Amino acid sequence: AMPCSTRLTVQEYEFTAEPPCVFYRIRVDCGAGAHYIMKRWSDFQALHDELSAMGEVPPWQPLDGEGSTEQEARRRADLLQQYLWELCTLPALTAAPTEEFLQVTPEYVFGRAKSIREPAASAAFSGVRRAAADASSQARSLPPGRFGEDRAQWD
């Protein structure tokens, strides 16, 4: 189970041509380390729907469209950050679907440890992934401090 010190931060969003959509890059800080996941708005909607059947979850704002404009993608990043902060305060954070979604199950954690022990393979894969991302997408980093560590900015 994830420790109560887990933090989830929207780092950036990325427009992709194939498939045409927006991915949100989320930093998952839990315990001794951090990693990133890339998810679409609809992925978070599906997680919310699954968790809703299990108990208390933060409010979710269903949205139409793909978020394909800069303004809409930024607005969704703001809404997503608020949702993630609230999720971190609830028991749903440690539910099995959430841990799988955030890639903090033992299978993922041990997989990351293995890739650290095999840096050459990991570096080669990273270079391929980066080249593919450069060719097919446009990432938008969020301004520094945009999503501060202090939840009070949302209150």
Side-chain angles (χ1 to χ4, degrees):
M2 286 185 284
C4 62
S5 63
T6 298
R7 289 186 316 198
L8 305 173
T9 309
V10 179
Q11 294 286 303
E12 65 184 6
Y13 49 90
E14 183 175 313
F15 295 91
T16 61
E18 290 298 324
C21 63
V22 180
F23 284 92
Y24 296 87
R25 183 174 189 230
I26 311 299
R27 180 182 168 105
V28 180
D29 288 292
C30 54
H35 66 277
Y36 295 90
I37 58 172
M38 297 288 287
K39 301 287 184 178
R40 297 169 301 170
W41 183 265
S42 60
D43 298 329
F44 286 98
Q45 174 70 58
L47 174 67
H48 176 79
D49 292 345
E50 187 172 3
L51 293 176
S52 292
M54 299 173 64
E56 183 183 8
V57 292
W60 180 258
Q61 184 171 358
L63 298 171
D64 294 330
E66 295 296 318
S68 58
T69 67
E70 184 77 28
Q71 181 179 2
E72 181 63 16
R74 185 169 299 277
R75 184 172 83 87
R76 287 181 183 212
D78 290 344
L79 292 170
L80 187 55
Q81 183 62 72
Q82 184 173 1
Y83 181 84
L84 294 174
W85 269 329
E86 292 179 26
L87 181 63
C88 285
T89 68
L90 299 174
L93 180 65
T94 59
T98 309
E99 290 186 340
E100 181 70 25
F101 185 84
L102 298 175
Q103 301 175 359
V104 294
T105 60
E107 294 81 10
Y108 284 108
V109 171
F110 292 134
R112 279 193 298 277
K114 183 178 179 185
S115 69
I116 291 170
R117 288 191 304 270
E118 299 172 7
S122 180
F125 175 74
S126 176
V128 169
R129 196 172 83 215
R130 187 171 29 258
D134 291 346
S136 67
S137 66
Q138 297 175 342
R140 302 289 192 271
S141 294
L142 297 169
R146 176 82 176 132
F147 300 113
E149 299 299 325
D150 184 8
R151 180 171 153 50
Q153 76 184 72
W154 290 103
D155 297 332

